[in-house]
Amino acid sequence: FTDDFRKDMIYKLGNMTLLTTKKNSAAKNYSFDKKKEHYKKTQLTLTRTIAEQSHLTVDFFEKRHQFIVSVLLNDLQINSNK
C-alpha cells in the first residue's frame, strides 16, 4: 500500500475490525496471515470476512468502508444526501 493510502485509510471504518479484548491482544500487530487465524475464530461475520481474503487490496478496504458506512447510515436512518 502507498503511504498516501495508509494515511487516508488508517482511521476509516473499512480498516477497523472488532475483536474481543483477548483476541485483539493475541493478534497484536502481527502480519495479516497471522492475524487471520484470530479473525477466523470470532463470531462476528464482518470480522470473519477479512479472514476469507487471500490478501488485502485497496479495493477490498474501500468497498468494506463503503459497506460499513451504508449499513450505519441505513440503521441510524440518516440520509447521506443532505
Side-chain angles (χ1 to χ4, degrees):
F1 299 105
T2 66
D3 288 341
D4 286 341
F5 176 77
R6 288 175 189 264
K7 187 187 291 186
D8 183 51
M9 187 57 73
I10 193 164
Y11 297 114
K12 287 190 175 179
L13 293 172
N15 188 44
M16 305 289 172
T17 194
L18 296 172
L19 290 171
T20 62
T21 302
K22 185 177 177 180
K23 283 186 176 67
N24 192 44
S25 294
K28 298 186 183 182
N29 285 325
Y30 291 129
S31 69
F32 174 61
D33 287 334
K34 198 164 185 176
K35 285 183 178 184
K36 277 182 13 175
E37 298 308 312
H38 299 283
Y39 297 164
K40 288 178 186 177
K41 296 175 186 174
T42 184
Q43 293 181 16
L44 301 168
T45 303
L46 192 58
T47 300
R48 279 196 322 267
T49 60
I50 299 170
E52 296 167 359
Q53 306 302 307
S54 60
H55 62 281
L56 299 175
T57 65
V58 170
D59 189 54
F60 170 78
F61 282 114
E62 289 173 346
K63 286 181 179 177
R64 186 171 191 272
H65 178 76
Q66 290 170 357
F67 172 75
I68 293 169
V69 170
S70 69
V71 168
L72 287 171
L73 291 173
N74 185 57
D75 287 355
L76 297 172
Q77 299 180 344
I78 297 171
N79 184 346
S80 63
N81 295 328
K82 290 184 178 180

